[in-house]
Amino acid sequence: GQNIDQPTEMTATEGAIVQINCTYQTSGFNGLFWYQQHAGEAPTFLSYNVLDGLEEKGRFSSFLSRSKGYSYLLLKELQMKDSASYLCAAMDSNYQLIWGAGTKLIIKP
Amino acid sequence: DVKVTQSSRYLVKRTGEKVFLECVQDMDHENMFWYRQDPGLGLRLIYFSYDVKMKEKGDIPEGYSVSREKKERFSLILESASTNQTSMYLCASSLSPDRATEAFFGQGTRLTVV
């Protein structure tokens, strides 16, 4: 079957670094997406990885290991506005997205 | 900027009513999706469409139908609303069915069935 796992909730301190992990199992693979969703709002695209390695985009970076079925989202210099849910989604061989349940990130001052 | 617009932000309907949720995108995307989002369950795909008049069942199509008469518009229909359909409904679009491109989401419709 197809499955995505990510932690339900994480807490971090303003100014710190946090890593949100995601493991996936899909029928074929066409890439891994990360989305940010603030409470009551729509998800917005953060990153896409299809090759192994780290992609950096400002304070946010995303890593992929295809052989391990593993990705992480790294958030640096945390700000209060980073409090949100972070959704991991893998794209299968039919270009369908398989979504994780999301990780709620709580930032404390 | 891609814009996906859902017709209502909040809706309250009675059990047994027929409910229409409308979604419009302005970027000529081929793919359109309807999801529902419930706490702890993540996004679950109800239906999707990759072309006008085409529709495909997602993971949880029971109790729902869809319509895509024009490329830019994708409607979700609850034939007879029930309380277990109380949820956040999200519409999304993406460029094409055979490419790995990001999905753009509407602002969501929070539906309460009483």
Side-chain angles (χ1 to χ4, degrees), chain B residues 55-74:
Chain B
K55 59 184 179 183
E56 296 284 344
K57 291 180 180 179
D59 300 317
I60 51 163
E62 296 78 20
Y64 304 94
S65 61
V66 290
S67 171
R68 193 161 181 206
E69 296 296 318
K70 293 185 177 180
K71 190 174 186 179
E72 67 270 20
R73 186 179 297 270
F74 193 35

CSV table of all heavy atoms in Angstrom, one decimal, chain B residues 55-74:
chain,number,residue,atom,x,y,z
B,55,LYS,N,-13.9,12.9,-15.0
B,55,LYS,CA,-13.8,12.8,-13.6
B,55,LYS,C,-13.3,11.5,-13.2
B,55,LYS,O,-13.6,10.5,-13.8
B,55,LYS,CB,-15.2,13.1,-12.9
B,55,LYS,CG,-16.3,12.2,-13.3
B,55,LYS,CD,-17.6,12.6,-12.7
B,55,LYS,CE,-18.7,11.6,-13.1
B,55,LYS,NZ,-20.0,12.0,-12.6
B,56,GLU,N,-12.6,11.4,-12.1
B,56,GLU,CA,-12.1,10.2,-11.6
B,56,GLU,C,-12.3,10.2,-10.1
B,56,GLU,O,-12.1,11.2,-9.4
B,56,GLU,CB,-10.5,10.1,-11.8
B,56,GLU,CG,-10.1,10.1,-13.2
B,56,GLU,CD,-10.4,8.7,-13.9
B,56,GLU,OE1,-10.6,7.7,-13.1
B,56,GLU,OE2,-10.3,8.6,-15.1
B,57,LYS,N,-12.7,9.0,-9.5
B,57,LYS,CA,-12.9,8.9,-8.1
B,57,LYS,C,-11.6,8.9,-7.4
B,57,LYS,O,-10.6,8.3,-7.8
B,57,LYS,CB,-13.6,7.6,-7.8
B,57,LYS,CG,-15.1,7.5,-8.3
B,57,LYS,CD,-15.7,6.2,-7.9
B,57,LYS,CE,-17.1,6.2,-8.4
B,57,LYS,NZ,-17.8,4.9,-8.1
B,58,GLY,N,-11.6,9.6,-6.2
B,58,GLY,CA,-10.4,9.5,-5.4
B,58,GLY,C,-10.6,8.4,-4.3
B,58,GLY,O,-11.2,7.4,-4.6
B,59,ASP,N,-10.1,8.7,-3.1
B,59,ASP,CA,-10.1,7.7,-2.1
B,59,ASP,C,-11.5,7.6,-1.3
B,59,ASP,O,-11.8,6.6,-0.8
B,59,ASP,CB,-9.0,8.0,-1.0
B,59,ASP,CG,-7.7,8.0,-1.7
B,59,ASP,OD1,-7.4,7.1,-2.5
B,59,ASP,OD2,-6.9,8.9,-1.4
B,60,ILE,N,-12.2,8.7,-1.3
B,60,ILE,CA,-13.5,8.7,-0.5
B,60,ILE,C,-14.6,9.4,-1.3
B,60,ILE,O,-15.2,10.4,-0.9
B,60,ILE,CB,-13.3,9.4,0.8
B,60,ILE,CG1,-12.6,10.8,0.6
B,60,ILE,CG2,-12.4,8.6,1.8
B,60,ILE,CD1,-12.8,11.7,1.8
B,61,PRO,N,-15.0,8.8,-2.5
B,61,PRO,CA,-16.0,9.5,-3.3
B,61,PRO,C,-17.5,9.3,-2.8
B,61,PRO,O,-18.4,10.0,-3.3
B,61,PRO,CB,-15.8,8.8,-4.6
B,61,PRO,CG,-15.4,7.4,-4.3
B,61,PRO,CD,-14.5,7.6,-3.0
B,62,GLU,N,-17.7,8.3,-1.9
B,62,GLU,CA,-19.1,8.0,-1.5
B,62,GLU,C,-19.8,9.2,-0.9
B,62,GLU,O,-19.3,9.9,0.0
B,62,GLU,CB,-19.1,6.9,-0.5
B,62,GLU,CG,-18.5,5.5,-1.0
B,62,GLU,CD,-17.0,5.5,-1.1
B,62,GLU,OE1,-16.4,6.3,-0.3
B,62,GLU,OE2,-16.4,4.7,-1.8
B,63,GLY,N,-21.0,9.5,-1.4
B,63,GLY,CA,-21.8,10.6,-1.0
B,63,GLY,C,-21.5,11.9,-1.7
B,63,GLY,O,-22.2,12.9,-1.4
B,64,TYR,N,-20.6,11.8,-2.6
B,64,TYR,CA,-20.2,13.0,-3.4
B,64,TYR,C,-20.4,12.8,-4.9
B,64,TYR,O,-20.2,11.7,-5.4
B,64,TYR,CB,-18.8,13.5,-3.1
B,64,TYR,CG,-18.5,13.7,-1.6
B,64,TYR,CD1,-18.0,12.7,-0.9
B,64,TYR,CD2,-18.7,14.9,-1.1
B,64,TYR,CE1,-17.7,12.9,0.5
B,64,TYR,CE2,-18.4,15.2,0.3
B,64,TYR,CZ,-17.9,14.1,1.0
B,64,TYR,OH,-17.6,14.3,2.3
B,65,SER,N,-20.5,13.8,-5.7
B,65,SER,CA,-20.4,13.8,-7.1
B,65,SER,C,-19.7,15.1,-7.5
B,65,SER,O,-19.6,16.0,-6.7
B,65,SER,CB,-21.7,13.6,-7.8
B,65,SER,OG,-22.6,14.7,-7.5
B,66,VAL,N,-19.3,15.2,-8.8
B,66,VAL,CA,-18.6,16.4,-9.3
B,66,VAL,C,-19.1,16.7,-10.7
B,66,VAL,O,-19.7,15.8,-11.4
B,66,VAL,CB,-17.1,16.2,-9.3
B,66,VAL,CG1,-16.5,16.2,-7.9
B,66,VAL,CG2,-16.6,15.0,-10.1
B,67,SER,N,-18.8,17.9,-11.1
B,67,SER,CA,-19.1,18.3,-12.4
B,67,SER,C,-18.0,19.2,-12.9
B,67,SER,O,-17.5,20.1,-12.2
B,67,SER,CB,-20.4,19.1,-12.4
B,67,SER,OG,-20.7,19.7,-13.6
B,68,ARG,N,-17.6,19.0,-14.2
B,68,ARG,CA,-16.6,19.9,-14.8
B,68,ARG,C,-17.1,20.2,-16.2
B,68,ARG,O,-16.7,19.5,-17.1
B,68,ARG,CB,-15.2,19.3,-14.8
B,68,ARG,CG,-14.1,20.4,-15.1
B,68,ARG,CD,-12.8,20.0,-14.7
B,68,ARG,NE,-11.8,21.0,-15.0
B,68,ARG,CZ,-10.5,20.8,-15.2
B,68,ARG,NH1,-10.1,19.5,-15.1
B,68,ARG,NH2,-9.7,21.7,-15.5
B,69,GLU,N,-17.9,21.2,-16.3
B,69,GLU,CA,-18.4,21.6,-17.6
B,69,GLU,C,-17.5,22.5,-18.4
B,69,GLU,O,-17.5,22.6,-19.6
B,69,GLU,CB,-19.8,22.2,-17.5
B,69,GLU,CG,-20.8,21.3,-16.9
B,69,GLU,CD,-21.1,20.1,-17.8
B,69,GLU,OE1,-21.2,20.3,-19.1
B,69,GLU,OE2,-21.2,18.9,-17.4
B,70,LYS,N,-16.7,23.3,-17.6
B,70,LYS,CA,-15.7,24.2,-18.2
B,70,LYS,C,-14.4,23.9,-17.6
B,70,LYS,O,-14.3,23.5,-16.4
B,70,LYS,CB,-16.1,25.6,-18.0
B,70,LYS,CG,-17.4,26.0,-18.8
B,70,LYS,CD,-17.7,27.5,-18.6
B,70,LYS,CE,-18.9,27.9,-19.4
B,70,LYS,NZ,-19.2,29.4,-19.2
B,71,LYS,N,-13.3,24.2,-18.3
B,71,LYS,CA,-12.0,23.9,-17.9
B,71,LYS,C,-11.7,24.6,-16.5
B,71,LYS,O,-11.0,24.0,-15.7
B,71,LYS,CB,-10.9,24.3,-18.9
B,71,LYS,CG,-9.5,23.8,-18.6
B,71,LYS,CD,-8.6,24.1,-19.8
B,71,LYS,CE,-7.2,23.5,-19.6
B,71,LYS,NZ,-6.3,23.8,-20.7
B,72,GLU,N,-12.1,25.8,-16.4
B,72,GLU,CA,-11.8,26.6,-15.2
B,72,GLU,C,-12.6,26.3,-13.9
B,72,GLU,O,-12.3,26.7,-12.9
B,72,GLU,CB,-11.8,28.1,-15.5
B,72,GLU,CG,-13.2,28.6,-15.8
B,72,GLU,CD,-13.6,28.5,-17.2
B,72,GLU,OE1,-13.0,27.8,-18.0
B,72,GLU,OE2,-14.6,29.3,-17.6
B,73,ARG,N,-13.7,25.5,-14.1
B,73,ARG,CA,-14.6,25.4,-13.0
B,73,ARG,C,-14.8,23.9,-12.6
B,73,ARG,O,-15.1,23.1,-13.5
B,73,ARG,CB,-16.0,26.0,-13.4
B,73,ARG,CG,-17.0,26.0,-12.3
B,73,ARG,CD,-18.3,26.7,-12.8
B,73,ARG,NE,-18.0,28.1,-13.2
B,73,ARG,CZ,-18.1,29.1,-12.4
B,73,ARG,NH1,-18.5,28.9,-11.1
B,73,ARG,NH2,-17.9,30.4,-12.8
B,74,PHE,N,-14.8,23.6,-11.3
B,74,PHE,CA,-14.9,22.2,-10.9
B,74,PHE,C,-15.8,22.3,-9.6
B,74,PHE,O,-15.5,22.9,-8.6
B,74,PHE,CB,-13.6,21.6,-10.5
B,74,PHE,CG,-13.5,20.2,-10.3
B,74,PHE,CD1,-14.3,19.3,-11.0
B,74,PHE,CD2,-12.6,19.6,-9.3
B,74,PHE,CE1,-14.2,17.9,-10.8
B,74,PHE,CE2,-12.6,18.2,-9.2
B,74,PHE,CZ,-13.4,17.4,-9.9
